[in-house]
Amino acid sequence: MKYDVILAGVGGQGVLSVSAIIASSAMEEGLQVKQSEVHGMSQRGGAVYTNLRLSDETIYSDLIPIGGASLVLSMEPLESLRYLDYLNPEGQLITSSNPERNIDDYPDLDTLIGKINTLPHAQVIDARKLALEAGSGRAANMVLAGAASNYVPLKSETMEGYIRKIFQRKGDKVVETNLKAFQLGRENSK
Amino acid sequence: MPEMVLLGDEAVAMGALHAGISAAYAYPGTPSTEITEFLIQNSKKNNGPSAHWCANEKTAYEAALGVSFAGRRSLVSMKHVGLNVAADPFMNSAIVSIHGGLVLVVADDPGMHSSQNEQDSRYFADFARIVCLEPTNQQEAYEMAREAFDISERFHIPVMIRLVTRLAHSRSVVQLSEPRTENKLEKAPEPNSWILLPSNARNQWHGLLDTYKEMQQYSEESSFNPLTLNSTFTDYAVITTGLAKNYYLENVPDLNEQPSHLHISAYPFPAEKIRSLASSAKKILILEEGYPFVERFLRGILPNGMEIIGKESGEVPAEGELNPDNIRPALGLESRTGSPHPDMPLSNRPPQLCPGCPHADSFNALKMALSGYGKSMVTSDIGCYTLAALPPYSAIETTVNMGASIGMAKGASDAGYFPAVAVIGDSTFLHSGVSPLIDAVAHNTNMTLVILDNETTGMTGGQPTILPSSRLEKVVLGIGVEPEHVKLIEAHRKFDEENSKVIKQEIEYNGLSVIIAVRECVETAKRHKREGGQS
Ligand code: SF4
């Protein structure tokens, strides 16, 4: 079994923290994991992504080959289209519909979402809305993690366990909000 | 055996800890920063070994040398261009008889993710005649860091570990082994081997050349250079170095035949093993992450008529990083395909100054001050403020190396250019801006220096500047800039008007002025608030 994920977003959006949920859960389930990250200059509001590779065999390359990814998970709609070369034609694309407009030539949102929806296996999720429903707009990334949990070869309980662990020190309320957001993401993706 | 999930950088740091280091030094620089971040955290938690940020890579290297002279093990880490700054102590440290193990980690940045060039540090290791180890994964990073200290003490040389961005910033599980204790505190036995007077230095160099033969032997025998021969397939054989091995192995399942393969991760490279590989096939394909380092040597040592395929022959890309896909043509494999793109141009999203960044306000004021002149020159340096090269600021015109802004503005002014303005960050100023400012003081150069003091090392994630911001003015005054031409301003847009007047006034002064524009980086300020106000 081999499962490659590209996580995409803008520096500061928490791409690494979503990546960590999947990576840590995979390790807990005994899989091998490689997570290649972007540090440095691009983290200042530029396009960032991680290459996350899960497998039950040795993983050689830190980088995902062209057409190798089974999932592109994007925190932001424009960024979801940047890594299509790496997405397998049978692979899934899941993106938040909430734009990060820190550039002047950001495309028209309706056109952009329309284009994403023409892709064969794409899902656009209003992560912010679902996060607010769960209790905090800041839990949007957990909504996306929840949506991804329908596809990654991991038990959702393992991922939930990890979410519980990372938010524990912030109190029960924060844990519950994030788990709820995860759950809503899970229910609102196919 | 315990295991940990570690970045490549952290795996090296862990290896060094388990090799019994007593101290670690560095100047922050992507992609090497996380090594020392990790060691500083460790030091706080476990009360040592000490790990310090230094003013620059040269001072970091020199401190590591002192640890070695005192008999203990030390780690010094930097990015590739940092080794240019530390080249003087580095080259000479190969000539002394290293006592306590000294390991230099250099993190190269092929692809220039966060750097101004993609120089390959293996040339430096070769230049100094020392051993270089090049891990291909986190586990090797840990193990090689440990072994590097043993090699350093065995051959009395500094040992280089070469990382590249993709390994430095990739995370995986590492199996740890039993830690070793620190060395005894015991000065180097023969001080003459550390006093590089010409007569001593000649002896030392002679000794190093002898030891070099032993290093070559080590490399022939090292399991870090595995050779697998397949006598049934002779069309071509493969040499990989660094991460190219991973990309090659990723493609091996698609090959019809398994070529003979030599992977090189310990240098000086194993010439004998290369010769036996060459005799097993008609052609050699060389895949290297970085410059065609091995390839260029081989073009000189293999028998005439042996075809070599690599970067020099054009089949392997000579620039940027290798990846699992761009080596496929050289392996005779079809390219892979991904998903189709919707027909829509994708706007680029380059990095940019954070909203509210103090530098943005400083550049506004500077641009206002310069607007009245028909021409102007703004030399700049390395840090977040380099991003002011991009729109909407387009406020700077040069970025060459750490500290260069000041010397370049001086040169331009000497050449007759007016107005010449240099901008530099506080951390970069203390790294290597003080010496060129002394040059400008000595000649009272007609230029204006703006120190963009965001009270941190912003680009690499907010490490503390080596001296607190409050001391900057004293440093500038202390080296002799005239007190009436040292001005402190607050880098905030509400003072744009006033600040631009101050800058303009100092530009008009026919001599050297220094303006310190102070306001804390917003990212660091946020972090300090989260951490409860302490710095
Ligand atoms: S990290 Fe700090 S100095 Fe760098 S761009 Fe952001 S606010 Fe400015």
Side-chain angles (χ1 to χ4, degrees):
Chain A
M1 193 277 300
K2 230 178 167 150
Y3 197 89
D4 292 344
V5 189
I6 297 225
L7 291 104
V10 177
Q13 275 195 314
V15 170
L16 276 177
S17 59
V18 178
S19 192
I21 297 174
I22 304 176
S24 305
S25 306
M27 275 181 272
E28 198 168 317
E29 294 194 9
L31 295 176
Q32 308 228 13
V33 174
K34 280 204 177 195
Q35 175 181 300
S36 172
E37 309 171 1
V38 174
H39 294 211
M41 203 171 237
S42 306
Q43 283 179 303
R44 305 267 157 271
V48 296
Y49 64 103
T50 69
N51 279 230
L52 179 59
R53 313 196 71 188
L54 320 178
S55 174
D56 52 12
E57 291 166 42
T58 308
I59 305 165
Y60 294 110
S61 167
D62 300 272
L63 298 176
I64 296 170
I66 286 178
S70 305
L71 173 66
V72 166
L73 181 64
S74 181
M75 317 290 118
E76 202 282 335
L78 175 61
E79 294 310 312
S80 75
L81 296 179
R82 223 179 276 287
Y83 310 97
L84 289 175
D85 282 348
Y86 295 95
L87 182 62
N88 190 280
E90 300 305 314
Q92 268 294 328
L93 183 148
I94 301 177
T95 181
S96 161
S97 62
N98 317 123
E100 180 75 33
R101 286 195 178 91
N102 67 347
I103 45 173
D104 290 338
D105 56 346
Y106 198 93
D108 174 67
L109 187 60
D110 291 337
T111 316
L112 174 62
I113 302 281
K115 292 288 180 193
I116 297 172
N117 280 323
T118 63
L119 298 171
H121 313 282
Q123 295 185 49
V124 181
I125 293 177
D126 192 338
R128 187 164 302 149
K129 192 174 127 229
L130 292 172
L132 286 168
E133 202 176 300
S136 163
R138 291 166 70 178
N141 286 351
M142 293 307 126
V143 173
L144 293 167
S149 72
N150 286 327
Y151 294 93
V152 294
L154 301 170
K155 297 198 198 74
S156 68
E157 299 81 63
T158 317
M159 292 173 71
E160 284 163 342
Y162 182 77
I163 293 170
R164 193 166 277 134
K165 202 164 93 190
I166 48 176
F167 289 108
Q168 209 168 35
R169 61 189 172 85
K170 298 195 172 163
D172 289 348
K173 182 139 190 306
V174 178
V175 172
E176 285 320 311
T177 304
N178 281 285
L179 286 176
K180 178 95 192 292
F182 182 87
Q183 208 47 48
L184 285 173
R186 205 169 151 73
E187 286 160 16
N188 284 275
S189 90
K190 304 150 254 171
Chain B
M1 221 170 15
E3 53 177 45
M4 274 175 97
V5 179
L6 297 171
L7 286 177
D9 274 347
E10 296 167 342
V12 171
M14 203 64 211
L17 282 176
H18 285 180
I21 54 166
S22 301
Y25 303 97
Y27 182 82
T30 312
S32 68
T33 313
E34 292 77 6
I35 299 170
T36 308
E37 296 267 18
F38 184 89
L39 291 171
I40 289 174
Q41 287 307 326
N42 174 74
S43 180
K44 282 188 191 149
K45 213 166 58 203
N46 302 323
N47 236 334
S50 70
H52 293 164
W53 295 120
C54 295
N56 64 37
E57 292 84 357
K58 176 176 180 285
T59 63
Y61 201 102
E62 289 154 351
L65 270 178
V67 177
S68 169
F69 188 58
R72 294 196 145 161
R73 292 183 159 189
S74 63
L75 184 78
V76 52
S77 39
M78 56 195 67
K79 67 184 295 177
H80 56 340
V81 288
L83 185 51
N84 301 334
V85 177
D88 200 0
F90 167 69
M91 290 299 295
N92 293 311
S93 70
I95 310 286
V96 302
S97 294
I98 288 297
H99 184 39
L102 192 160
V103 173
L104 160 69
V105 192
V106 194
D108 288 358
D109 191 15
M112 294 181 252
H113 298 275
S114 240
S115 309
Q116 66 270 45
N117 74 26
E118 51 179 39
Q119 69 187 58
D120 185 328
S121 300
R122 291 177 297 168
Y123 281 92
F124 255 124
D126 182 61
F127 195 14
R129 303 263 166 159
I130 60 162
V131 171
C132 170
L133 301 178
E134 199 182 5
T136 63
N137 57 41
Q138 294 76 0
Q139 184 67 40
E140 281 182 4
Y142 172 77
E143 285 163 14
M144 286 183 178
R146 294 198 62 154
E147 173 146 339
F149 284 95
D150 297 338
I151 305 172
S152 171
E153 287 172 3
R154 172 170 158 202
F155 295 129
H156 304 289
I157 50 162
V159 172
M160 177 190 289
I161 293 184
R162 179 198 186 221
L163 295 177
V164 293
T165 309
R166 293 293 175 184
L167 177 57
H169 289 163
S170 176
R171 225 175 266 282
S172 201
V173 173
V174 175
Q175 312 283 338
L176 307 175
S177 46
E178 204 49 46
R180 173 191 181 281
T181 53
E182 287 181 53
N183 283 1
K184 277 208 310 271
L185 194 62
E186 190 176 48
K187 226 166 36 175
E190 304 158 61
N192 275 353
S193 68
W194 283 76
I195 304 173
L196 295 180
L197 283 168
S199 55
N200 293 340
R202 279 191 285 270
N203 283 338
Q204 290 294 116
W205 173 233
H206 184 82
L208 181 63
L209 292 180
D210 281 346
T211 314
Y212 193 69
K213 295 188 193 108
E214 292 168 39
M215 296 181 223
Q216 284 170 319
Q217 197 50 40
Y218 158 80
S219 166
E220 291 295 346
E221 289 157 11
S222 170
S223 61
F224 293 146
N225 295 328
L227 170 66
T228 34
L229 293 172
N230 174 6
S231 55
T232 61
F233 179 71
T234 59
D235 290 5
Y236 69 98
V238 177
I239 293 178
T240 54
T241 74
L243 295 198
K245 175 183 167 193
N246 300 343
Y247 305 139
Y248 169 65
L249 292 179
E250 191 78 22
N251 282 299
V252 161
D254 292 356
L255 297 174
N256 295 327
E257 304 275 356
Q258 287 262 0
S260 297
H261 175 206
L262 171 63
H263 176 67
I264 302 177
S265 47
Y267 306 80
F269 53 69
E272 276 315 312
K273 278 184 175 164
I274 293 174
R275 286 193 192 95
S276 34
L277 182 82
S279 63
S280 77
K282 298 195 249 323
K283 273 197 295 204
I284 288 198
L285 166 62
I286 306 184
L287 298 170
E288 292 185 80
E289 185 72 305
Y291 286 13
F293 174 74
V294 174
E295 185 179 338
R296 293 182 76 171
F297 278 99
L298 293 206
R299 290 187 185 280
I301 68 170
L302 289 184
N304 290 341
M306 180 90 199
E307 191 182 345
I308 297 175
I309 303 170
K311 297 191 175 193
E312 296 262 298
S313 68
E315 273 96 340
V316 178
E319 292 163 50
E321 297 176 283
L322 296 183
N323 62 44
D325 292 292
N326 64 11
I327 61 167
R328 285 175 73 87
L331 289 163
L333 296 172
E334 301 264 307
S335 45
R336 299 181 173 105
T337 49
S339 292
H341 294 235
D343 55 338
M344 164 176 181
L346 275 194
S347 319
N348 281 333
R349 197 184 313 251
Q352 48 187 276
L353 295 174
C354 306
C357 174
H359 299 328
D361 298 342
S362 299
F363 282 115
N364 273 340
L366 177 60
K367 284 184 92 163
M368 282 165 70
L370 287 171
S371 62
Y373 298 92
K375 63 185 174 76
S376 64
M377 178 186 293
V378 180
T379 58
S380 179
D381 233 288
I382 298 193
C384 286
Y385 49 94
T386 313
L387 295 172
L390 309 174
Y393 309 102
S394 306
I396 63 163
E397 296 162 280
T398 70
T399 296
V400 183
N401 62 274
M402 295 285 281
S405 60
I406 301 177
M408 286 182 69
K410 176 182 193 305
S413 167
D414 292 346
Y417 204 98
F418 176 81
V421 176
V423 297
I424 191 168
D426 50 332
S427 190
T428 308
F429 175 67
L430 293 170
H431 175 285
S432 44
V434 180
S435 315
L437 186 60
I438 291 173
D439 291 347
V441 168
H443 303 109
N444 194 23
T445 306
N446 184 17
M447 61 176 271
T448 305
L449 168 63
V450 183
I451 301 180
L452 303 166
D453 179 7
N454 61 355
E455 305 182 42
T456 189
T457 316
M459 177 63 88
T460 49
Q463 295 76 20
T465 307
I466 198 78
L467 289 179
S469 165
S470 57
R471 300 268 284 279
L472 258 189
E473 189 186 5
K474 289 186 197 131
V475 170
V476 170
L477 290 171
I479 60 177
V481 182
E482 292 167 28
E484 45 294 7
H485 295 289
V486 177
K487 297 279 160 69
L488 240 70
I489 60 178
E490 187 181 340
H492 199 289
R493 61 194 57 201
K494 61 184 178 203
F495 304 122
D496 271 357
E497 199 69 43
E498 276 166 76
N499 288 347
S500 74
K501 279 204 194 106
V502 175
I503 299 172
K504 172 121 199 220
Q505 204 183 340
E506 292 309 324
I507 289 172
E508 282 300 311
Y509 167 60
N510 185 10
L512 174 65
S513 315
V514 177
I515 296 159
I516 306 177
V518 194
R519 181 157 68 85
E520 191 179 22
C521 156
V522 294
E523 285 293 309
T524 312
K526 266 192 242 162
R527 203 185 64 224
H528 284 164
K529 216 163 141 199
R530 269 202 309 272
E531 289 167 359
Q534 89 267 23
S535 57

